[in-house]
Amino acid sequence: MAKKSMIARDVKRKKIVERFAAKRAALKAAFEAASDPMQRLEIHRKIQNLPRNSAPNRVRNRCWATGKPRGVYRDFGLCRNQLRERAHKGELPGVVKSSW
């Protein structure tokens, strides 16, 4: 189980990303459309002035069951340990233990 503070921090980041998503997208579109280098520089500074945690790449993939940050499978949102346990119990649809 991950630390509660780290899980809470990540939840907070997700909310901030959602709140600033439209503004960030508009600034990025304006940056791509601008042809004047000085105008691009000004738009880039505006993007930099947004909160650091509003960038989507700062959000960490975490297991929804345990909150672990490492070894998370995107298809299920589970860490490798939970994936294995739930697959053995038959709780994951379409997952079967391999044998050959």
Side-chain angles (χ1 to χ4, degrees):
M1 186 74 187
K3 285 172 48 175
K4 299 283 186 188
S5 60
M6 300 305 275
I7 296 170
R9 186 183 299 172
D10 213 43
V11 169
K12 184 179 173 184
R13 281 185 182 142
K14 285 179 185 176
K15 288 179 185 175
I16 293 173
V17 166
E18 287 176 19
R19 191 170 58 196
F20 284 94
K23 188 173 186 178
R24 184 175 285 274
L27 285 171
K28 279 189 170 184
F31 181 80
E32 293 296 324
S35 58
D36 182 34
M38 293 306 290
Q39 187 180 10
R40 286 177 71 108
L41 186 63
E42 183 180 330
I43 294 169
H44 191 268
R45 286 198 180 120
K46 287 180 183 177
I47 292 172
Q48 285 182 327
N49 285 334
L50 291 174
R52 216 175 235 196
N53 285 334
S54 69
N57 65 330
R58 300 220 2 142
V59 177
R60 187 85 164 115
N61 282 345
R62 288 188 175 271
C63 174
W64 59 264
T66 61
K68 286 181 62 165
R70 306 262 177 125
V72 178
Y73 285 79
R74 290 181 182 199
D75 294 337
F76 303 100
L78 291 169
C79 62
R80 58 190 176 82
N81 305 328
Q82 288 294 313
L83 181 81
R84 185 172 188 270
E85 283 181 21
R86 291 169 191 257
H88 284 309
K89 290 179 185 175
E91 295 176 358
L92 299 176
V95 177
V96 291
K97 188 176 177 188
S98 65
S99 61
W100 61 91

